[in-house]
Amino acid sequence: GQQLNQSPQSMFIQEGEDVSMNCTSSSIFNTWLWYKQDPGEGPVLLIALYKAGELTSNGRLTAQFGITRKDSFLNISASIPSDVGIYFCAGLGLMKTSYDKVIFGPGTSLSVIP
Amino acid sequence: GAGVSQTPSNKVTEKGKYVELRCDPISGHTALYWYRQSLGQGPEFLIYFQGTGAADDSGLPNDRFFAVRPEGSVSTLKIQRTERGDSAVYLCASSFPGSGANVLTFGAGSRLTVL
């Protein structure tokens, strides 16, 4: 079945540093999503990507949909303490289907040291 | 409601008992998803409803798990003969397909502990 891999598994960074994390898949997806989850809460959507090669920003966050449709990355610039959490990539919509099943990666845990 | 509401927020039960978890999606959202999240892992797809019908139940781990959405709004996830391995956070999400984003809005989850 479909499987997503995320790296790194965890990160410890100083406040103000930039962060980069990525997600790879064994399958092609039509849409890539990046979510953030805080403790005790459900994941919250950060960025959605719909086209191969697409680069999208949301404030200090930037994400790209890989050309091969099998990968995506998320960058966070000038990290702040509230960036702490677990970041999940998710893929949606296998090629040639109208599937709406969203598959999540295992997550990247981000810790920010003030 | 304003967001996705899940009840109970916490459920502790004994092995072998029956459990129901409820999800009240955002009003007007026709799609509803159930996910299971174990500690340190990403959400694992269980089942997806489009309206009243289960469009994809391929993620249900076995026949002890069942979900319904009889009126196309509230959904109940039912687990029979619970096992310790069923302990996890069960997340519900809803969306409005066709909006161009298929953005899943998640509830806070129901944490199930099977003793």
Side-chain angles (χ1 to χ4, degrees):
Chain A
Q2 309 96 46
Q3 184 173 357
L4 297 180
N5 298 300
Q6 289 188 245
S7 63
Q9 185 177 4
S10 62
M11 306 179 71
F12 292 83
I13 63 168
Q14 292 282 348
E15 183 177 356
E17 288 184 356
D18 296 342
V19 173
S20 183
M21 60 187 78
N22 75 317
C23 181
T24 60
S25 169
S26 57
S27 301
I28 292 172
F29 287 101
N30 288 333
T31 299
W32 283 94
L33 307 169
W34 283 93
Y35 280 83
K36 178 177 183 264
Q37 186 174 30
D38 293 325
E41 301 292 330
V44 175
L45 182 72
L46 300 174
I47 290 181
L49 302 159
Y50 303 106
K51 290 171 55 177
E54 178 181 356
L55 184 71
T56 297
S57 293
N58 178 10
R60 293 180 296 107
L61 277 59
T62 302
Q64 184 159 29
F65 190 147
I67 293 293
T68 66
R69 293 179 177 266
K70 290 186 176 182
D71 64 325
S72 176
F73 73 73
L74 175 70
N75 287 341
I76 305 172
S77 63
S79 58
I80 59 178
S82 62
D83 290 335
V84 167
I86 301 178
Y87 292 79
F88 293 102
C89 66
L92 166 70
L94 296 175
M95 289 289 287
K96 300 180 181 179
T97 73
S98 59
Y99 237 37
D100 290 319
K101 185 163 75 175
V102 180
I103 306 297
F104 282 80
T108 292
S109 175
L110 177 64
S111 298
V112 178
I113 304 167
Chain B
V4 178
S5 176
Q6 292 189 244
T7 56
S9 56
N10 278 286
K11 176 70 177 179
V12 180
T13 191
E14 294 180 342
K15 180 175 178 292
K17 298 291 188 182
Y18 170 79
V19 167
E20 286 190 355
L21 306 175
R22 175 189 166 108
C23 173
D24 199 341
I26 292 174
S27 178
H29 279 195
T30 56
L32 185 146
Y33 299 75
W34 282 100
Y35 285 80
R36 177 169 69 177
Q37 187 174 26
S38 300
L39 190 64
Q41 297 184 19
E44 174 193 12
F45 172 81
L46 296 178
I47 186 169
Y48 155 58
F49 288 90
Q50 182 58 255
T52 61
D56 184 347
D57 64 357
S58 62
L60 295 177
N62 50 60
D63 61 6
R64 295 187 298 105
F65 288 75
F66 189 72
V68 296
R69 195 186 185 199
E71 298 178 357
S73 180
V74 171
S75 176
T76 304
L77 179 65
K78 308 181 180 190
I79 310 174
Q80 299 177 319
R81 304 182 304 279
T82 52
E83 301 178 356
R84 293 193 179 88
D86 298 336
S87 296
V89 175
Y90 289 83
L91 293 166
C92 176
S94 68
S95 74
F96 186 73
S99 65
N102 203 47
V103 172
L104 269 63
T105 302
F106 281 87
S110 292
R111 179 177 298 278
L112 175 65
T113 303
V114 182
L115 301 176

